[in-house]
Amino acid sequence: MAFPLIQTARTLAFSTAIFGLSLSLAAQQQTDDATNATVRIEIRIENRKLVGDQVIRLTQGQRVEIVWITDEAVELHMHGYDIRVEISPDGPATMTFTAHATGRFPVTSHGFGDEHGHGHVTLAYIEIHPIK
Ligand SMILES: [Cu+2]
């Protein structure tokens, strides 16, 4: 599926140029408005592993939609932001958040299939980088 990544990159470069020197809360709010684009990422899990790069890199202030698709039922947990979603082959689930906090946040499984609550395994890292 094609996402407007080029558009997002342009918008980000623009907001970085304007707000690069200020990380105050007010500036952050303005940046949210200025970026004005939701970054939508689709991630697929197959055989209990991520397909593709395990590290997802984002920039502070972005509005983010991560769509998870899986070949086996599992609960996912994004640590730090503390977002949980349950996904199954019948339906993807979306994590939606604004990337206020910077850092490296693991997304772990909380049990595949019938192992509900067990098998706490890191599937991905979401890195949220400060605006330079
Ligand atoms: Cu967890």
Side-chain angles (χ1 to χ4, degrees):
M1 206 182 287
F3 301 116
L5 288 179
I6 293 167
Q7 181 67 42
T8 302
R10 271 197 214 115
T11 312
L12 271 178
F14 177 72
S15 64
T16 301
I18 293 178
F19 299 114
L21 295 176
S22 175
L23 286 173
S24 74
L25 201 61
Q28 185 54 48
Q29 191 55 52
Q30 285 181 329
T31 303
D32 288 350
D33 297 341
T35 52
N36 192 27
T38 299
V39 178
R40 194 164 185 274
I41 301 166
E42 201 174 279
I43 301 177
R44 188 174 292 274
I45 299 168
E46 279 174 18
N47 299 316
R48 304 189 173 190
K49 283 187 179 143
L50 233 69
V51 177
D53 196 345
Q54 215 194 3
V55 180
I56 295 114
R57 294 171 186 85
L58 300 165
T59 302
Q60 187 178 28
Q62 285 180 322
R63 281 194 292 270
V64 184
E65 274 181 31
I66 302 178
V67 180
W68 296 91
I69 297 161
T70 186
D71 62 354
E72 187 180 1
V74 64
E75 184 188 81
L76 300 176
H77 180 201
M78 179 179 172
H79 289 241
Y81 281 72
D82 201 22
I83 302 169
R84 289 159 205 260
V85 294
E86 285 188 36
I87 53 174
S88 82
D90 298 332
T94 306
M95 287 179 175
T96 305
F97 58 95
T98 301
H100 288 301
T102 58
R104 186 175 166 90
F105 304 98
V107 177
T108 63
S109 64
H110 281 195
F112 279 96
D114 294 333
E115 312 166 330
H116 207 82
H118 299 282
H120 203 243
V121 173
T122 300
L123 295 170
Y125 293 97
I126 297 179
E127 288 184 1
I128 299 171
H129 296 260
I131 299 164
K132 289 185 199 112

